[in-house]
Amino acid sequence: MLLTIGIVVIVIVIIFFLIFWGYYNRIIRLENRIDNSWGQIDVQLKRRADLIPNLLESVKGYMTHEKETLENVTKARSALMNAKTPQDNIDADNMLTGALKSLFAVSEAYPDLKANQNFLQLQDELTHTEDKISYARQHYNDSVLSFNNIVETIPGIWFAKRMNKSTKEMIQIPVENREVPQVKF
Amino acid sequence: MLVEDHIKHNKRLTVFICGFMAFLFLLVISSFGYLYFGNIYISIIFGLPVALVYIAITYSFSVKTVLSAAKARPANSLVREEKLLMYKVEEMAIAAGLPTPKVYVQDSDNINAFATGKKPEEAVICATTGAIRKLKTDELEGVIAHEMSHIKNHDILIATVTIGVVGAISLISEIVFYSMFWGGAGRGRKNEGNAIIMVLAIILIILAPIFSRLTYLAISRKREYLADSNGAYLTRNPEGLAKALEKIKNDMPQGKPKGSKTVAPLYIANPFKKQSTNSIWSTHPPINERIKRLRSM
């Protein structure tokens, strides 16, 4: 009798240990994925900030009457360089996106500039970096979503409490910055 | 239906169909053993490893030959259009959380694209020059997202393994067929067996190649739907891919398509045939149905 109870207890402990093992690894893996996807956003933000001086250099000679537009770009860039938290970074980046949008809109009035190969290449690359940032942001939020889903539902929530893990914040994206039509998910 | 439900639904169906394929394969091997050795276990013990090796070899060779069969070349970053294609591939890789695949270009006026590679780390995405020129940015993005989903879902593995199983089943069927023709079947058997089971085993072996081929095609079509819905999830813009498919539908094929027919399932739309009706013999679902599903998301 004692032996049977002993075996049952051992089996239950092993099963519990295996479940804990699985959930522990899963929670850590999902958390690492979030860190990794933040790293991806960070890389792209830096890349974008690095491209700005080149862009300003190439438009300087052409855009003599657009002082304010150029200043806005510089301002947004330094805000991006000084941002500390992820949300600050994203807000500064949105500012930069707006400033660049008006710069590119204004550039339409300068046919010489539009024909400049260097400017075109920079424009392509900046648009590309902007797209990469928005997809990296999307991937970040997807990762946060799967992490939160595990950490907030049973049985994950029991293990998460023990591991001192709680839900993470998604990056808020202003509505007007989404160019593609929103889809219901 | 929501995109995530589409993804789950298609995944479940694939598991089910693959299970059926495995069951069919075991049935054929057992029937073969029953007919020739009077024992189904012998053929399972010997047949399974042989079949696995056969499939592994098919796998390692098929991927290598796809690019040369398609006459694809690496994208040239000095050409603006191809540079933009490379940009799109990189963006979709970020959205999917995958390493950036190599980008290839196939010189063809038809709008098409395919993905290949053994695992996500070594993947290749190839688009035709027609696709680069005729598709708008959001449409090209939809197509690339579709291919990226094929990579993420390990569809290249699924396609080559299922092609391997179909090949193995046909091989067994052919052996039985020819040996029966020469009157060899069951000659060395100790066990007299049951005549009805024997006839059933022979019928099964003869019909198996057709069934396995149909199963393989069903899997291929399910994977297309899955890649469509996954792709829509990556871009958050099903309309882009829907518009691209519409362009492919209205774009008449020009010249002979390059590449071998075995890689047809890897393309976004079958380059060899225009699909308008729902047929159990197609590698891809009807294009109108795919557009309809994308627009209902």
Side-chain angles (χ1 to χ4, degrees), chain A residues 44-114:
Chain A
Q44 303 308 338
L45 289 176
K46 292 229 162 58
R47 173 90 194 117
R48 197 172 188 199
D50 290 346
L51 285 169
I52 301 294
N54 293 339
L55 179 79
L56 292 179
E57 194 58 39
S58 76
V59 299
K60 210 168 60 183
Y62 300 91
M63 287 188 172
T64 39
H65 307 294
E66 318 288 350
K67 220 169 171 194
E68 205 191 322
T69 319
L70 298 183
E71 258 169 21
N72 280 341
V73 174
T74 320
K75 233 186 278 169
R77 179 180 180 263
S78 50
L80 181 59
M81 302 288 276
N82 295 324
K84 297 274 183 303
T85 65
Q87 192 62 49
D88 277 0
N89 263 302
I90 295 299
D91 290 342
D93 182 57
N94 285 331
M95 221 166 102
L96 186 57
T97 305
L100 282 176
K101 208 178 266 170
S102 39
L103 191 150
F104 288 136
V106 170
S107 76
E108 297 291 330
Y110 298 84
D112 292 351
L113 182 59
K114 290 296 285 177

Side-chain angles (χ1 to χ4, degrees), chain A residues 40 44 120-121 124-125 127-129 131-132 135-139 142 145 178 180-185, chain B residues 2-4 80 84 86-88 90-92 94-97 141 232-238 296-297:
Chain A
Q40 186 67 258
Q44 303 308 338
L120 276 181
Q121 259 175 30
D124 277 350
E125 191 158 0
T127 321
H128 168 54
T129 326
D131 288 347
K132 279 200 288 191
Y135 281 117
R137 221 155 44 177
Q138 178 183 306
H139 183 64
D142 283 351
L145 180 70
R178 296 292 298 171
V180 290
Q182 278 292 330
V183 190
K184 52 179 195 290
F185 286 109
Chain B
L2 297 181
V3 176
E4 280 164 329
R80 181 163 181 255
L84 292 181
M86 292 163 92
Y87 281 166
K88 275 291 151 225
E90 202 186 336
E91 286 162 23
M92 286 303 112
I94 287 176
E141 190 174 72
Y233 187 75
L234 284 187
T235 59
R236 303 290 200 270
N237 180 20
S296 76
M297 283 175 197

Side-chain angles (χ1 to χ4, degrees), chain A:
Chain A
M1 189 59 193
L2 215 59
L3 187 71
T4 327
I5 293 175
I7 291 176
V8 167
V9 168
I10 288 173
V11 166
I12 288 176
V13 167
I14 290 177
I15 289 177
F16 183 79
F17 176 74
L18 287 178
I19 293 175
F20 179 74
W21 186 7
Y23 270 91
Y24 182 88
N25 284 351
R26 213 161 142 202
I27 288 171
I28 296 292
R29 235 175 253 139
L30 287 174
E31 198 175 31
N32 287 344
R33 203 167 93 188
I34 295 175
D35 292 345
N36 182 36
S37 45
W38 172 254
Q40 186 67 258
I41 300 179
D42 212 30
V43 168
Q44 303 308 338
L45 289 176
K46 292 229 162 58
R47 173 90 194 117
R48 197 172 188 199
D50 290 346
L51 285 169
I52 301 294
N54 293 339
L55 179 79
L56 292 179
E57 194 58 39
S58 76
V59 299
K60 210 168 60 183
Y62 300 91
M63 287 188 172
T64 39
H65 307 294
E66 318 288 350
K67 220 169 171 194
E68 205 191 322
T69 319
L70 298 183
E71 258 169 21
N72 280 341
V73 174
T74 320
K75 233 186 278 169
R77 179 180 180 263
S78 50
L80 181 59
M81 302 288 276
N82 295 324
K84 297 274 183 303
T85 65
Q87 192 62 49
D88 277 0
N89 263 302
I90 295 299
D91 290 342
D93 182 57
N94 285 331
M95 221 166 102
L96 186 57
T97 305
L100 282 176
K101 208 178 266 170
S102 39
L103 191 150
F104 288 136
V106 170
S107 76
E108 297 291 330
Y110 298 84
D112 292 351
L113 182 59
K114 290 296 285 177
N116 182 323
Q117 276 303 313
N118 192 25
F119 173 74
L120 276 181
Q121 259 175 30
L122 278 167
Q123 191 178 9
D124 277 350
E125 191 158 0
L126 275 164
T127 321
H128 168 54
T129 326
E130 192 177 315
D131 288 347
K132 279 200 288 191
I133 291 169
S134 85
Y135 281 117
R137 221 155 44 177
Q138 178 183 306
H139 183 64
Y140 180 86
N141 282 351
D142 283 351
S143 311
V144 170
L145 180 70
S146 18
F147 179 80
N148 286 353
N149 279 344
I150 284 286
V151 167
E152 272 185 316
T153 52
I154 293 171
I157 189 164
W158 299 330
F159 302 111
K161 278 220 174 97
R162 225 145 245 112
M163 292 162 70
N164 275 328
K165 306 276 183 210
S166 57
T167 53
K168 290 189 190 290
E169 284 282 313
M170 289 201 186
I171 295 171
Q172 304 299 323
I173 304 165
V175 184
E176 71 270 19
N177 273 332
R178 296 292 298 171
E179 287 153 78
V180 290
Q182 278 292 330
V183 190
K184 52 179 195 290
F185 286 109

Side-chain angles (χ1 to χ4, degrees), chain B residues 210-274:
Chain B
I210 300 166
F211 279 122
S212 64
R213 176 125 196 97
L214 287 178
T215 320
Y216 155 71
L217 289 168
I219 294 172
S220 167
R221 290 194 298 269
K222 283 294 156 235
R223 298 315 279 185
E224 286 308 314
Y225 279 133
L226 181 60
D228 281 352
S229 44
N230 263 328
Y233 187 75
L234 284 187
T235 59
R236 303 290 200 270
N237 180 20
E239 188 57 26
L241 181 55
K243 278 194 294 181
L245 287 174
E246 237 164 25
K247 273 199 183 159
I248 293 171
K249 188 180 79 177
N250 298 328
D251 191 67
M252 290 310 281
Q254 281 141 6
K256 248 176 101 184
K258 291 170 184 169
S260 78
K261 278 194 177 181
T262 44
V263 298
L266 298 177
Y267 283 84
I268 187 153
N270 193 332
F272 300 99
K273 235 189 331 196
K274 285 269 141 184

Side-chain angles (χ1 to χ4, degrees), chain B residues 202-214:
Chain B
I202 292 172
I203 291 176
L204 178 92
I205 285 184
I206 289 170
L207 291 181
I210 300 166
F211 279 122
S212 64
R213 176 125 196 97
L214 287 178

